[in-house]
Amino acid sequence: MAVTPRVPDQNQSNDPAAQRGGRVVTRIVGVLIVALCVGAMWATNLWLTDRFSETTRVRTELRLALYTGNIISELQRTSVVPLLLARDPGLTNALESLDYSKTSATLISAKQDVAAASIRLLDASGRTVASTNRHLIGTSYSTAPFFVEGLRSRETIFTATARETGGTEFNYSRALVADGRVVGVIVVEAELSKFERAWAGISDAVAVTDSEGRIILTTEPKWRGLTMSEALARRDAPTAIQRALQATADWANEAPDAYLRGQAVMRTETRIPFRGWRMTAFTSYESVRERVNAVLALEIMGFAIFLALAFYWLSRRARVQSARYRRESAELRALNARLSREIAERERVQKDLAVAEQTLAQSSKLAALGEMSAAVSHELNQPLAAMKTYLAGARLLLQRNRSEEALSSFQRIDDLIDRMGAITRQLKSYARKGGEAFEPVDLRAAISSALAMMEPQLKARTVRITRTMTREPVMVLADRIRLEQVIINLLRNALDATKTVADPQIELILAAGETAVLSVRDNGPGLSDLEKLFEPFWTTKKPGEGTGLGLAISSSIVSDFGGRLTAHNAEGGGAVFEMQLPLLSEAKLKTAPDGAEAAE
């Protein structure tokens, strides 16, 4: 039956109201895109500002740590000089003898050695009797803190005093004692002003304050002697134009920590471990602005390109839509004809599918017959091989007139014939899934019987077989012959896996807990594909050596017994097959490992 598709009304597609609605939607989308771009730029600005500001702050903190270390190092190095000079007998003798002709030269030599700013020797009245600066000789410092404190103490005294010319003088002083009395004071000035000159070329502004909050070192000359709040208040009042430019420049930054020379700056403080000193640095936001604005410029350019492409796409879409409307009628007619052909083709395919289903059902039946034939061939190969071996042995025994032993071989051949009959009956039950009667079977006896069945193959090769079993019987409900068939299949696979091993070993472990577990382990190369291991007709052996049905049949037999057959690779190498069967009694049996029996 042909189906005619529903054709849209072309008049409805060209409706002016619909077109106006489309334009309104396009405008709304455009406004949303612009708003999204603005929001993205704003979020980017905030995130980058925080990130770059934090980076700048960390760099400033590292720089302050370096400055602090330089100051402490200079102070410690200078503090040792007064102690050394106070122990110089030449200076003490000069003060006692009032002979200072060589004293200044001695101080100049010491200054060059320790790189101090200046060294002065004062007598007991505070008058300078020797100095590295000869212009200061004769100057009296009787009221200077470094002289007064030096006379009162027998230790090295540190003082920071303001110079008359500006700046701060940092002195270490120590009294010179002779015969228990003070004969003078040695004063060594630390060279800290050199740091101000070094800081001026790196940081925007740096200031060091003492314990009282007074600025004693700074890159800003106007700040010396002031507190930090007084220093920051000393800046020129910005004009209206400057305020407008500043607001424009600071729009991409956080709130400034302070203002310096009319500009927003970041304030960073650190503690100097010396007399409560603190160091403060003011870093400009200019580097943060430049980096943020560079990223924002790239982002704006990207959004501009995106909007241009979006508008180009919209215009192209409008042109394409107009052309599509003109082709719509012809395409719909062609579509209707194509759908009609497809419906007819589908009806024909459905008829072919019904025929294919019948053919597949017949093929499945043939495949089942082939699988059954292969199973019969696989299961009968073992008894036939054993019979051939026993017949050959019986022939030799008869030739040697050992008829009684030959009769024993014939008896075993008779047992194998019975076993082949049992196998054919089991394969019938395997094809229809069930029907055999089970009986209590001792797994230990089944293992011994399987090993006896495999005796010809075992004697043909040198293989070490280790058995570890419980002392008590391990009873399960199963068909004895089918159970032995599974054990023989596992042993045969283990023998085949150890063909290429120099020292082949097979280990059988029987344990009884909640279930009976028989583990067959070999030291072969292991299993390559565990997923396909129990599939019918899948084998890793060469053609003619196996049909690929042994493990599939064994797994089916164990499932009929209510158990499970699994396999995995051992940690030390080789493969392990585990057969788990439910115990005949639910009560737990006490187990004890039996001594391992080895046979080669």
Side-chain angles (χ1 to χ4, degrees):
M1 180 179 62
V3 178
T4 303
R6 181 177 179 271
V7 180
D9 189 2
Q10 294 183 0
N11 295 329
Q12 183 179 359
S13 302
N14 297 326
D15 187 6
Q19 293 179 357
R20 286 194 299 272
R23 288 194 293 269
V24 171
V25 172
T26 302
R27 291 173 183 173
I28 293 175
V29 172
V31 172
L32 291 177
I33 291 175
V34 173
L36 179 62
C37 294
V38 173
M41 291 173 57
W42 182 259
T44 302
N45 167 57
L46 294 179
W47 181 71
L48 291 178
T49 299
D50 292 340
R51 181 177 178 182
F52 292 152
S53 297
E54 184 63 23
T55 302
T56 303
R57 189 180 298 276
V58 170
R59 290 178 179 175
T60 303
E61 290 176 353
L62 293 176
R63 192 161 53 245
L64 290 182
L66 176 61
Y67 295 166
T68 301
N70 292 338
I71 292 175
I72 294 299
S73 177
E74 182 69 20
L75 291 173
Q76 289 177 348
R77 184 168 55 85
T78 308
S79 64
V80 181
V81 179
L83 177 61
L84 298 177
L85 294 178
R87 296 177 179 179
D88 188 351
L91 299 180
T92 306
N93 294 334
L95 290 172
E96 291 179 340
S97 63
L98 303 180
D99 182 9
Y100 308 110
S101 58
K102 297 181 180 181
T103 307
S104 295
T106 302
L107 297 182
I108 292 174
S109 176
K111 173 188 174 183
Q112 293 175 352
D113 293 337
V114 300
S118 66
I119 303 177
R120 287 163 286 180
L121 179 63
L122 311 181
D123 59 10
S125 63
R127 186 174 62 88
T128 304
V129 296
S131 174
T132 56
N133 185 359
R134 299 184 183 275
H135 298 288
L136 298 178
I137 296 177
T139 306
S140 177
Y141 295 98
S142 58
T143 59
F146 54 80
F147 176 73
V148 176
E149 295 294 333
L151 290 178
R152 294 176 180 176
S153 176
R154 294 295 184 268
E155 303 294 333
T156 302
I157 303 300
F158 175 82
T159 57
T161 57
R163 292 193 183 97
E164 296 179 357
T165 58
T168 306
E169 183 178 333
F170 305 95
N171 295 313
Y172 281 98
S173 59
R174 187 180 183 92
L176 280 74
V177 181
D179 299 331
R181 60 185 181 87
V182 177
V183 295
V185 175
I186 186 71
V187 181
V188 180
E189 181 183 355
E191 181 64 25
L192 298 184
S193 59
K194 62 181 179 181
F195 296 127
E196 292 180 331
R197 296 188 296 271
W199 300 339
I202 300 176
S203 305
D204 292 338
V206 178
V208 177
T209 57
D210 58 11
S211 59
E212 297 179 355
R214 296 290 175 178
I215 297 176
I216 55 179
L217 285 175
T218 179
T219 56
E220 301 292 325
K222 297 181 180 179
W223 289 3
R224 292 189 179 97
L226 303 177
T227 62
M228 191 59 67
S229 58
E230 294 173 348
L232 292 177
R234 285 198 173 187
R235 59 184 178 89
D236 298 333
T239 63
I241 296 177
Q242 290 175 337
R243 288 195 299 269
L245 292 176
Q246 178 178 308
T248 303
D250 293 344
W251 76 276
N253 294 292
E254 300 175 338
D257 296 333
Y259 281 91
L260 178 63
R261 293 189 294 274
Q263 297 293 328
V265 292
M266 181 188 303
R267 180 172 178 173
T268 307
E269 292 186 2
T270 186
R271 186 180 66 86
I272 301 176
F274 182 79
R275 294 180 173 269
W277 289 9
R278 299 190 67 83
M279 178 178 287
T280 306
F282 298 92
T283 307
S284 173
Y285 279 101
E286 291 180 0
S287 60
V288 176
R289 296 192 196 99
E290 291 175 357
R291 298 170 68 181
V292 172
N293 292 339
V295 177
L296 290 179
L298 292 176
E299 191 172 9
I300 292 172
M301 183 171 60
F303 284 140
I305 295 174
F306 170 75
L307 292 176
L309 293 176
F311 287 131
Y312 171 76
W313 178 79
L314 290 176
S315 61
R316 179 180 175 82
R317 178 172 174 271
R319 291 194 300 269
V320 171
Q321 186 177 10
S322 177
R324 181 169 58 83
Y325 287 155
R326 292 193 296 268
R327 297 192 304 269
E328 190 174 33
S329 297
E331 292 178 354
L332 289 178
R333 287 193 297 269
L335 177 63
N336 189 20
R338 186 165 61 253
L339 288 177
S340 299
R341 291 193 298 271
E342 289 180 357
I343 292 173
E345 182 69 19
R346 180 173 297 178
E347 292 177 351
R348 184 182 63 81
V349 170
Q350 288 178 348
K351 294 179 181 179
D352 295 342
L353 181 60
V355 176
E357 289 177 351
Q358 295 177 358
T359 304
L360 181 61
Q362 186 66 23
S363 300
S364 300
K365 294 178 182 179
L366 295 176
L369 291 175
E371 181 177 347
M372 181 63 67
S373 300
V376 171
S377 174
H378 178 271
E379 297 301 326
L380 293 181
N381 277 338
Q382 296 177 2
L384 287 175
M387 290 169 61
K388 185 176 181 180
T389 303
Y390 288 136
L391 283 174
R395 185 181 297 109
L396 292 175
L397 292 173
L398 290 175
Q399 290 175 357
R400 298 175 181 178
N401 296 324
R402 296 162 64 180
S403 56
E404 294 182 358
E405 297 180 5
L407 289 176
S408 176
S409 297
F410 290 141
Q411 180 62 42
R412 291 186 179 182
I413 293 173
D414 185 61
D415 295 340
L416 289 175
I417 293 174
D418 294 340
R419 182 177 181 84
M420 291 172 62
I423 288 174
T424 56
R425 291 192 300 273
Q426 293 163 8
L427 291 175
K428 293 178 183 179
S429 66
Y430 171 73
R432 61 178 180 270
K433 297 296 181 183
E436 293 290 341
F438 295 159
E439 60 181 356
V441 179
D442 187 359
L443 267 178
R444 302 184 305 167
I447 294 172
S448 300
S449 178
L451 288 172
M453 184 69 65
M454 292 292 295
E455 183 178 354
Q457 290 90 335
L458 296 175
K459 288 183 177 180
R461 292 175 52 198
T462 301
V463 182
R464 181 179 180 83
I465 298 179
T466 303
R467 287 184 293 172
T468 303
M469 294 186 292
T470 61
R471 296 182 182 275
E472 294 79 9
V474 181
M475 305 301 296
V476 296
L477 190 64
D479 187 341
R480 181 185 182 89
I481 295 179
R482 299 176 70 190
L483 181 60
E484 293 176 1
Q485 177 184 350
V486 174
I487 300 173
I488 291 173
N489 281 335
L490 298 180
L491 287 172
R492 185 177 180 184
N493 286 338
L495 284 174
D496 294 339
T498 57
K499 285 182 178 180
T500 59
V501 180
D503 183 19
Q505 297 181 10
I506 299 175
E507 184 178 4
L508 290 87
I509 301 175
L510 178 62
E514 296 181 356
T515 60
V517 180
L518 172 61
S519 300
V520 179
R521 176 175 178 175
D522 60 71
N523 61 342
L527 303 172
S528 59
D529 194 343
L530 295 174
E531 296 181 357
K532 299 181 180 180
L533 192 62
F534 298 102
E535 294 183 3
F537 303 105
W538 186 89
T539 180
T540 58
K541 300 178 182 178
K542 298 180 180 179
E545 295 184 359
T547 61
L549 289 171
L551 291 177
I553 294 174
S554 299
S555 178
S556 177
I557 293 174
V558 174
S559 296
D560 291 343
F561 296 161
R564 183 177 63 174
L565 181 62
T566 59
H568 64 273
N569 288 317
E571 295 182 358
V576 179
F577 286 86
E578 289 187 356
M579 179 178 66
Q580 298 182 9
L581 293 174
L583 292 173
L584 182 61
S585 176
E586 295 183 357
K588 295 184 179 180
L589 301 176
K590 296 182 179 180
T591 62
D594 195 4
E597 300 178 4
E600 293 188 357

